[in-house]
Amino acid sequence: MPVIAPMPAARPARIPGQRDGVEETVAAGTTVDHLTETYRAHYRSLLGLAALLLDDTASCEDVVQEAFIRVHSARKRVRDPEKTLAYLRQTVVNLSRSALRRRILGLKLLSKPMPDMASAEEGAYDQLERDSLIKAMKGLQRRQREVLVLRYFADMTEAQVAETLGISLGSVKAYGSRGIAALRVAMEART
């Protein structure tokens, strides 16, 4: 990306339409000299404007330099030299918005970290535990098994289990505690 130098060249730049020291009428628009003067006078204020919109110095400098490059390229369209600074300010704001949009899009597109996953060994161990639990559950009495499945796997309250099975609340508590005790014994025996 070309950089606009803050100091003019050693010899004055040749303006199109100028021949052998005789100055002809230049087409309407901002001249290179006027743009250079605007750069000297307002570079820091434009940098401050960009700093209010962006967070790092390098991006601010890039935005301001790009704004000057764009104004330089379109200087014939800025008919009133008094509006050059306003055009530059608007360009800095627009370029800052674009930079922020690119950053936000970049953050959205970054790959999301993988969730903490169990290793293959842990997965195999969990599967063995599930298999052991299922075998132990099959060894329980029918009512104990029904109460435990509805209470802990279907996530029902004791009252809901009692209503579903058509038994009293006390029976649900008794079957549940006896079933857990039997499961504990069965699971310890398998290990």
Side-chain angles (χ1 to χ4, degrees), residues 80-126:
D80 186 4
E82 306 300 319
K83 294 185 179 179
T84 303
L85 182 59
Y87 189 74
L88 279 165
R89 285 184 182 136
Q90 187 61 48
T91 305
V92 166
V93 169
N94 290 341
L95 289 172
S96 297
R97 285 180 187 154
S98 295
L100 290 174
R101 268 190 234 109
R102 280 191 303 275
R103 284 185 195 171
I104 290 169
L105 182 63
L107 290 174
K108 285 181 182 177
L109 295 178
L110 281 177
S111 62
K112 296 186 175 152
M114 293 294 293
D116 293 334
M117 295 180 66
S119 67
E121 294 83 15
E122 289 177 29
Y125 183 72
D126 289 344

Side-chain angles (χ1 to χ4, degrees), residues 1-185:
M1 176 179 290
V3 178
I4 298 176
M7 301 301 291
R11 60 188 174 104
R14 187 173 181 276
I15 300 173
Q18 185 178 20
R19 280 185 284 156
D20 302 325
V22 178
E23 198 169 319
E24 293 181 7
T25 310
V26 180
T30 303
T31 64
V32 174
D33 289 338
H34 178 70
L35 197 56
T36 302
E37 290 303 317
T38 305
Y39 180 86
R40 284 187 189 143
H42 298 286
Y43 177 79
R44 290 205 182 272
S45 67
L46 291 169
L47 197 59
L49 174 63
L52 292 172
L53 301 170
L54 299 170
D55 55 355
D56 64 305
T57 308
S59 294
C60 296
E61 289 173 349
D62 289 345
V63 162
V64 173
Q65 288 177 5
E66 180 66 23
F68 273 99
I69 290 168
R70 289 188 181 190
V71 171
H72 181 270
S73 299
R75 66 186 181 278
K76 299 289 185 216
R77 289 186 299 209
V78 182
R79 300 205 186 284
D80 186 4
E82 306 300 319
K83 294 185 179 179
T84 303
L85 182 59
Y87 189 74
L88 279 165
R89 285 184 182 136
Q90 187 61 48
T91 305
V92 166
V93 169
N94 290 341
L95 289 172
S96 297
R97 285 180 187 154
S98 295
L100 290 174
R101 268 190 234 109
R102 280 191 303 275
R103 284 185 195 171
I104 290 169
L105 182 63
L107 290 174
K108 285 181 182 177
L109 295 178
L110 281 177
S111 62
K112 296 186 175 152
M114 293 294 293
D116 293 334
M117 295 180 66
S119 67
E121 294 83 15
E122 289 177 29
Y125 183 72
D126 289 344
Q127 184 64 42
L128 287 174
E129 274 190 355
R130 273 192 299 278
D131 291 344
S132 298
L133 179 63
I134 290 170
K135 287 178 185 172
M137 289 286 288
K138 287 180 181 178
L140 295 177
Q141 293 177 3
R142 181 180 57 86
R143 281 286 185 195
Q144 289 175 346
R145 186 172 53 247
E146 290 171 349
V147 167
L148 291 180
V149 167
L150 292 175
R151 178 78 174 102
Y152 296 105
F153 293 100
D155 202 27
M156 291 182 167
T157 63
E158 291 174 337
Q160 291 170 331
V161 172
E163 184 181 329
T164 302
L165 295 178
I167 57 176
S168 70
L169 187 61
S171 296
V172 170
K173 290 180 181 182
Y175 285 126
S177 68
R178 287 187 198 127
I180 289 175
L183 271 179
R184 186 174 295 127
V185 169

